Amino acid sequence: MRNYVAKRIFAAVPLFFIISFCSFVLINLSPTDPAVAALRANDVPVITEELVEQTRAQLGLDQPLLIRYGKWLSGCLQLNFGQSYVKKISVSSLILPAFLNTLKLVTVTSVTIILLSTIFGVFCALREGSKADKGIRGILFVFTSMPSYWIGPLMIWFFAVQLNILPTSGIGNASHYILPVIVMSFSYIGFYFRLIRNSMIRNSGENYVLYEKASGLPDRLVNRHILRNSLQTAISGFCMAIPGMLAGTVVVENVFAWPGIGRLCVSAIFDRDLPVIQAYIIIVAAFFILFNLIADLISAAINPKQREG
Amino acid sequence: MSAWKKLKQDRLAMCCLVFLSSVVLVGIFAPFFAPNNPVAVDTSLRFAGPSFQYPLGNDQLGRCVLSRLIYAIRPSVLLVLFALSITVMIGTVLGLISGYYKGRVDNVIMRLCDVMLSFPSEVITLAIIGIFGVGLQNILLACILTKWAWFTRVIRTAVMQFSEQNYVQFAKAAGCSTFHVLTHHILPMTLSEIAVIFSSSVCSLILQISGFSFLGLGMQAPTPEWGMMLNEAKDVMLSYPTLMLPPGIAVMLVSASFGFLGDSLRDAMDPKHEPAVTKRKKIRSTV
């Protein structure tokens, strides 16, 4: 086990460097000159050649690429992502509070998804082929294919405007979480629910279940064993989904005016605020790698077969 | 062929197939089906209800909603299918090379795939738009960049499985050229795999690309696109909520149909699959 952990961590580190380098180089390949972008973002009326040179020196863009990458990366590791071109404050003071807001939303959503998909999954697996099973599967399938940018505004219209029982948007007390969390869970529950349901059904055909039933174990106990074995696939799936959700909040945050990282990134794209975009990419990538690592380690801890691979 | 027979028995899958083909046809021949010009603004008809000439009414600029819906099939569905076809082609070529030759080439391609797959596709898309600017072509480019690695992986696995088979060994021993072996003996066997991943990824891709247009990062006005139409409808939602319905239902129906079709296709291609009912009976009879 210890060897496996060390191997996985060593594999993750170079991946982080490759991704950070790619995102840095890509931003520098951008058809718009960062210096020009910075000047435009500040509404400078006439952009002269001289002004561009001056800004370039000021932003440190006249140094070689590798030196700039080194400086940028060491800054990133100290949570210093440079200055925003538009807001004139440090990127970290913009992005860190936004990131915490997104993290709050993602945490609440993932707990909801795990609870609901396990409940529905177990329920449907135990009643495979029945009307209830078909009904729940059909309803969840429809929910999954409803785009969140459609169901979100409709829910705002119904619950916040017509019934006036929930806030329309923004962040505040617990009631602000309800609508975004529901809308976000819709698109994931269908998938995880099916994962649990199908792996439970697959497990119930295994020999150990037949043996337990033949030995006269009570159904409740047998089902608990089936569930424990089928949760293995689901757990690594959940861990993989959390970083995906960090990136997938973009739409929900924009619909519900949630002051998170996705909304910040979209507004940075419109402003062509390159340092903010760069910081967004590197933060989400770092979390993605971290959670993939955790997912691998958890599934290795549960399933010894994985450690060999 | 048996897969096609199985699929034909699946009534839901056939419904989806008919529906999707008609959507594609309507999209291709949009000028024949659309009753009006989709970008013609008529302020006297703002928010007009359904009428004989404008079956679904008019939007906030007095444009015909039905015509916009029909013309929007082109960017929302046809362009997505086109981009996905390019991705599948890239994936097939790389997957064939990687799975057939193995060794060092395979290693390099697989490490590249690892890097691509270790990144959520939304982030790559946002990065590409952030770098090259807002527009549908950049989103489609991002979709090709994010999906090829996944297709390559799936196709490589299938190729590896078939390239060890006796008939392939025989073809090689009989002196067929590598190109012939690849195109005549391996590629046809991977087609089912390709069909399944194609139809199941169209579903998520349509949702995703309309989502970016909804955020204003994709298709730009006045060209109609479902996500764009939802974005415009959202601004006037409080007074005219019905404008949200046509584009939303269109996205939902098309993506759900692709999802259903993908599922049925997978079941039809899988020789081990049995319908749930018979399996249940079997378990009961054994227990």
Side-chain angles (χ1 to χ4, degrees):
Chain A
M1 184 69 191
R2 201 174 295 159
N3 277 344
Y4 181 77
V5 174
K7 212 171 88 186
R8 287 290 302 135
I9 291 175
F10 274 120
V13 172
L15 198 60
F16 176 75
F17 280 104
I18 292 172
I19 287 173
S20 68
F21 187 70
C22 285
S23 69
F24 185 80
V25 170
L26 271 175
I27 293 276
N28 282 282
L29 281 178
S30 163
T32 42
D33 185 341
V36 177
L39 287 171
R40 282 227 186 90
N42 290 319
D43 289 326
V44 176
V46 190
I47 297 169
T48 59
E49 200 58 34
E50 213 174 300
L51 209 52
V52 171
E53 283 303 318
Q54 206 182 324
T55 325
R56 202 170 278 159
Q58 190 191 333
L59 295 170
L61 292 171
D62 47 359
Q63 289 163 325
L65 188 76
L66 275 176
I67 292 180
R68 274 192 288 150
Y69 169 67
K71 273 190 183 166
W72 175 72
L73 190 69
S74 69
C76 283
L77 293 175
Q78 297 159 37
L79 295 182
N80 168 24
F81 301 102
Q83 289 275 318
S84 157
Y85 290 166
V86 184
K87 303 239 169 71
K88 287 282 138 205
I89 47 173
S90 73
V91 174
S92 49
S93 66
L94 273 173
I95 214 162
L96 292 181
F99 182 69
L100 284 181
N101 284 336
T102 301
L103 209 57
K104 280 185 215 162
L105 184 65
V106 167
T107 314
V108 178
T109 312
S110 21
V111 172
T112 316
I113 293 172
I114 291 173
L115 281 180
L116 289 183
S117 51
T118 315
I119 293 171
F120 285 134
V122 172
F123 180 84
C124 287
L126 294 182
R127 286 166 184 72
E128 193 206 351
S130 73
K131 277 202 183 104
D133 173 37
K134 277 182 189 152
I136 291 178
R137 268 163 66 203
I139 291 169
L140 286 183
F141 193 89
V142 173
F143 278 158
T144 315
S145 39
M146 279 199 280
S148 52
Y149 43 89
W150 181 53
I151 195 75
L154 284 184
M155 283 191 132
I156 293 180
W157 176 78
F158 187 70
F159 288 105
V161 180
Q162 294 296 306
L163 300 180
N164 200 12
I165 47 173
L166 290 170
T168 50
S169 57
I171 185 171
N173 54 17
S175 63
H176 285 86
Y177 282 88
I178 297 174
L179 285 183
V181 166
I182 291 178
V183 169
M184 257 182 90
S185 328
F186 271 177
S187 38
Y188 290 92
I189 282 182
F191 179 73
Y192 289 104
F193 145 78
R194 275 211 307 200
L195 201 69
I196 293 181
R197 177 185 172 274
N198 292 349
S199 80
M200 271 192 81
I201 289 171
R202 210 177 315 119
N203 261 300
S204 62
E206 295 280 329
N207 281 335
Y208 74 90
V209 177
L210 192 63
Y211 174 73
E212 287 189 341
K213 281 188 178 167
S215 325
L217 249 65
D219 269 358
R220 203 165 41 86
L221 211 60
V222 177
N223 287 338
R224 201 187 297 160
H225 290 163
I226 296 177
L227 180 63
R228 199 165 64 197
N229 278 320
S230 8
L231 280 184
Q232 278 178 14
T233 30
I235 286 172
S236 51
F238 285 139
C239 290
M240 299 282 277
I242 291 171
M245 256 189 268
L246 270 182
T249 51
V250 180
V251 169
V252 171
E253 279 176 11
N254 276 284
V255 169
F256 291 98
W258 191 272
I261 196 169
R263 195 150 166 258
L264 187 71
C265 180
V266 171
S267 70
I269 286 175
F270 283 124
D271 294 339
R272 303 208 56 73
D273 198 346
L274 296 178
V276 177
I277 302 175
Q278 251 174 349
Y280 172 80
I281 297 172
I282 196 87
I283 287 181
V284 177
F287 264 80
F288 202 74
I289 295 173
L290 184 71
F291 274 97
N292 275 351
L293 186 66
I294 294 175
D296 274 3
L297 295 185
I298 289 179
S299 58
I302 303 174
N303 186 359
K305 264 190 218 158
Q306 282 236 312
R307 286 174 221 161
E308 289 148 23
Chain B
M1 264 308 107
S2 73
W4 172 241
K5 255 186 208 157
K6 254 190 188 169
L7 198 65
K8 266 211 301 214
Q9 281 169 359
D10 194 340
R11 243 182 305 157
L12 186 63
M14 287 322 282
C15 284
C16 292
L17 199 60
V18 171
F19 171 68
L20 290 173
S21 341
S22 46
V23 166
V24 168
L25 279 180
V26 169
I28 293 173
F29 299 106
F32 295 103
F33 288 97
N36 298 289
N37 183 351
V39 289
V41 174
D42 185 347
T43 40
S44 65
L45 284 167
R46 289 181 74 215
F47 303 114
S51 60
F52 188 67
Q53 207 201 338
Y54 301 96
L56 287 175
N58 301 66
D59 68 359
Q60 69 282 1
L61 293 173
R63 295 172 295 195
C64 173
V65 172
L66 181 66
S67 308
R68 288 180 72 70
L69 210 58
I70 288 175
Y71 270 91
I73 295 174
R74 290 176 167 186
S76 302
V77 181
L78 299 186
L79 273 180
V80 173
L81 288 177
F82 174 70
L84 208 56
S85 314
I86 294 178
T87 321
V88 168
M89 267 188 260
I90 296 173
T92 312
V93 171
L94 288 180
L96 278 176
I97 293 173
S98 184
Y100 188 75
Y101 289 106
K102 299 184 187 122
R104 200 173 287 166
V105 194
D106 178 39
N107 243 326
V108 171
I109 294 177
M110 280 304 109
R111 288 299 83 74
L112 259 174
C113 286
D114 282 345
V115 173
M116 292 311 290
L117 289 173
S118 59
F119 229 165
S121 61
E122 284 96 343
V123 176
I124 300 190
T125 315
L126 281 176
I128 300 269
I129 306 167
I131 293 157
F132 295 109
V134 163
L136 191 68
Q137 70 278 18
N138 291 337
I139 291 186
L140 293 175
L141 177 76
C143 127
I144 295 172
L145 270 177
T146 51
K147 291 272 183 207
W148 72 266
W150 189 54
F151 285 98
T152 305
R153 270 251 180 114
V154 174
I155 293 164
R156 167 183 175 266
T157 316
V159 170
M160 281 194 144
Q161 197 185 323
F162 291 116
S163 62
E164 293 303 317
Q165 300 271 318
N166 284 337
Y167 70 89
V168 174
Q169 302 290 340
F170 176 76
K172 273 196 232 168
C176 294
S177 69
T178 311
F179 183 76
H180 183 88
V181 172
L182 280 176
T183 50
H184 285 73
H185 298 294
I186 295 181
L187 189 62
M189 304 305 289
T190 56
L191 278 181
S192 66
E193 209 75 42
I194 294 172
V196 171
I197 45 174
F198 186 88
S199 58
S200 52
S201 47
V202 179
C203 169
S204 61
L205 215 55
I206 285 178
L207 285 180
Q208 207 183 334
I209 286 179
S210 285
F212 281 112
S213 289
F214 172 79
L215 295 176
L217 299 172
M219 205 49 149
Q220 297 301 303
T223 322
E225 203 273 351
W226 291 339
M228 259 276 304
M229 290 171 76
L230 278 173
N231 186 18
E232 290 172 348
K234 190 195 63 172
D235 297 335
V236 294
M237 181 180 69
L238 295 186
S239 29
Y240 300 95
T242 45
L243 274 180
M244 291 290 293
L245 294 179
I249 292 174
V251 175
M252 199 177 98
L253 282 182
V254 169
S255 74
S257 307
F258 272 115
F260 272 127
L261 196 62
D263 276 6
S264 309
L265 215 54
R266 176 168 324 185
D267 291 347
M269 302 279 187
D270 183 5
K272 279 188 218 142
H273 178 83
E274 293 170 79
V277 186
T278 54
K279 205 162 65 186
R280 195 178 157 79
K281 273 180 200 153
K282 239 186 213 165
I283 291 173
R284 261 198 208 136
S285 60
T286 49
V287 172

